[in-house]
Structures are given as structure tokens and as C-alpha cells.
Amino acid sequence: MFVSVRLSWVLFLFTIPVVLSQNIALIIIDVQNCFLPGGSLAVTDGQEVIPIINSLRTDYKDAFRLVVLSQDWHCSDHISFASQHAGFNAYQEVSLAYDKNGVLCEPANSCQVVAYNVTQMLWPDHCVINTTSAEFDDSLVQEDSDIVIRKGFNCKVDSYSAFFDNGEFTQTGLHKILQDADISTVFVTGLALDYCVYYTSSDSKRLGYTTYLVQDASRGVANATSVAAVADMKSKGINIIQSDDVGAILESITSGVSSHGSCLTTILLVVMAIVFMQMFSCHSVQE
């Protein structure tokens, strides 16, 4: 019997699997018809990000544990639409007041105490729920395993970030999804650089993820705000890279995980060998 036990331990020692997990996610922000040429809120040269994002997906398919697509998903009377604010035009800002529960203070619901003031840029109507405007571009590579995060569906508060609404009253669920998948590093791409990409990247970094913005896989609404957004992201420790850098970065991450995994495996083997030797020694003494 003891021989069989010893044999089992020996087999176990030499069949310990080395599992190397990259823990990396690719996040694709709002590559939707409304933000592309012909859309109501088209981002200049927005279509140029699509082949770059597609290449990242195909060239490094095995490196990404998760691929997440965010989708702007607005009511037809959404609070961010200029059409809902008499006397205001698109690209003007308004201040929105909310109570402590994140409920908008408005004539129909006058707040006794204003807890939050949120600055809101007004936009043309865009990405309305269940319209072709809100659909992803047909040329964007998608897989059945992709996770879609819809945001901005609360009619009374906007949501630039794929993690939170603009008042941070609610989360979208993305943080939990990444946590459950043990994600530690994210690569962010998509539209628009100075708004949804910026806020998603900033929240990602704040939540503790190593964050890379793939700059040439993103485009902004305006040059001035895009330059300011990139500068601010750099100051926060977000890595600003180009798509040509991704391969080397992934290789560096992979090699680091591989070395760490090999070290852990070696330690485990040594520990198991010591345990085995002690068992063998005890049996010899008993004999």
C-alpha cells in the first residue's frame, strides 16, 4: 500500500500543471454608428480606429482574457440631449442638480436639499435605444464571447465612463466583471478620446487596474480637449501607447507572469519533495 502511495506522490510531483494567466482585458469604447461618419455625433476620423482595433483583436487574440465593448444606450428624451433643454444648443454646458439618492432635481421633483451638482455637456440626439444609430459598426470584429456594457440608459443622468454614471450614483457592472475574471491590466480603445475613453481610462486607473490607452486606436471630439485629456491621463499614471507598442508590452507582461509562475512551481515542487521525503523517512523508521 505504501508503495502505491509513494507512486501517487511521485506522479503528482511530475504532473503539476503550470497555469499562466495573463489577466488582461481589451476594452472597446462606443464604436457605434452615431459616432461614425454619417452619425448624429460623428467623431472626426472615428472610422480610422476600426481597423486598428480589429488588428489588436486578431493579432493578440490569445492575450486577452476578456474583450469588453461599451455601448451608449440613451432614451429618446435623454437629459444630455440639447433638444431637451429649451434655449440651449448642442456643445453648451448646463449644471444638473441631484439629491442624495441621485435623483434629478427638476420641476416634477423639486429637491429640498441639493447633494450633487453635475456639469453636463449637451449633445445632439444620439445612440437612441433600439435604433441603428446605437448599433456597433458592422465592420468592427465581434465574437460571441464579447461582453457588452450598456451605459447612459438612465434618462436622467449621463454616463461617459464604462464603469460609472457621471454622478457616480451607480456602477455599470464592469468593475465586478473584471474582478470576477481576475483582470489586473486593461487596454482601452475607441471613441471618443476626450470623453468616454478618457473617463473610462481614468476610472480604470483609480480602481487599481494597470491601464494602457492605445492612442492611435482612439479619436477625440476636439483637438484641444483631446490634448488636455491625454496630458491629464499621463499625470494620473495611465500609460499612453500606440498600437505598435502593444505586442512588446504583452510579451513583457507574459514573460513576467511566466517567470513568476516558474518560480512558484519550483517552490511547490521543493515543498512537495520535502513532504514526500518525510513520509518515506517515517515509514522507514516504523519498519
Side-chain angles (χ1 to χ4, degrees):
M1 178 179 177
F2 183 69
V3 172
S4 64
V5 172
R6 283 188 295 173
L7 180 59
S8 297
W9 278 96
V10 170
L11 290 173
F12 176 77
L13 286 170
F14 286 97
T15 57
I16 295 173
V18 180
V19 179
L20 303 179
S21 175
Q22 307 334 333
N23 298 357
I24 303 169
L26 174 65
I27 300 178
I28 303 169
I29 301 296
D30 299 358
V31 183
Q32 298 168 253
N33 293 328
C34 54
F35 298 122
L36 296 169
S40 59
L41 187 46
V43 176
T44 302
D45 299 326
Q47 75 282 0
E48 294 179 358
V49 308
I50 296 174
I52 299 173
I53 293 171
N54 287 346
S55 293
L56 292 175
R57 294 207 61 168
T58 55
D59 293 348
Y60 309 111
K61 183 175 182 178
D62 295 335
F64 299 117
R65 174 175 291 186
L66 291 181
V67 176
V68 178
L69 289 78
S70 74
Q71 186 177 27
D72 243 17
W73 199 246
H74 292 317
C75 315
S76 59
D77 59 349
H78 196 266
I79 194 70
S80 69
F81 294 170
S83 62
Q84 303 303 307
H85 299 266
F88 289 88
N89 299 313
Y91 308 108
Q92 290 183 309
E93 290 184 341
V94 296
S95 181
L96 302 176
Y98 296 86
D99 69 14
K100 64 180 182 179
N101 298 313
V103 176
L104 180 67
C105 304
E106 53 185 344
N109 176 48
S110 180
C111 300
Q112 292 184 344
V113 177
V114 173
Y116 306 97
N117 285 288
V118 177
T119 299
Q120 175 66 55
M121 176 70 77
L122 299 180
W123 305 105
D125 293 16
H126 64 281
C127 295
V128 173
I129 293 171
N130 293 328
T131 65
T132 56
S133 171
E135 293 176 0
F136 296 116
D137 185 80
D138 289 339
S139 63
L140 182 69
V141 171
Q142 297 178 64
E143 302 286 348
D144 291 340
S145 58
D146 292 348
I147 295 170
V148 176
I149 296 292
R150 287 175 170 168
K151 60 188 182 67
F153 50 81
N154 182 336
C155 303
K156 300 302 184 181
V157 61
D158 206 357
S159 183
Y160 294 153
S161 171
F163 289 96
F164 302 96
D165 63 44
N166 286 6
E168 295 195 9
F169 308 130
T170 60
Q171 295 192 38
T172 62
L174 177 56
H175 183 38
K176 185 177 188 307
I177 289 169
L178 297 181
Q179 285 183 311
D180 289 347
D182 199 27
I183 298 297
S184 58
T185 300
V186 301
F187 288 76
V188 184
T189 64
L191 304 171
L193 173 61
D194 40 352
Y195 287 93
C196 297
V197 170
Y198 164 72
Y199 282 97
T200 298
S201 299
S202 297
D203 284 341
S204 170
K205 178 64 177 179
R206 179 163 60 94
L207 290 169
Y209 300 99
T210 300
T211 305
Y212 294 88
L213 166 66
V214 188
Q215 189 173 10
D216 59 334
S218 184
R219 295 291 185 278
V221 172
N223 182 65
T225 47
S226 295
V227 170
V230 169
D232 188 61
M233 284 187 281
K234 286 181 178 178
S235 72
K236 291 175 177 175
I238 296 167
N239 303 287
I240 310 298
I241 64 170
Q242 305 301 314
S243 57
D244 288 344
D245 302 324
V246 172
I249 293 169
L250 289 173
E251 184 178 355
S252 174
I253 295 172
T254 302
S255 63
V257 172
S258 178
S259 298
H260 183 61
S262 297
C263 180
L264 288 177
T265 302
T266 301
I267 294 172
L268 182 59
L269 286 169
V270 170
V271 170
M272 297 304 298
I274 293 172
V275 171
F276 171 76
M277 291 173 65
Q278 288 179 335
M279 289 180 61
F280 180 76
S281 175
C282 290
H283 180 77
S284 299
V285 170
Q286 290 174 357
E287 290 181 339

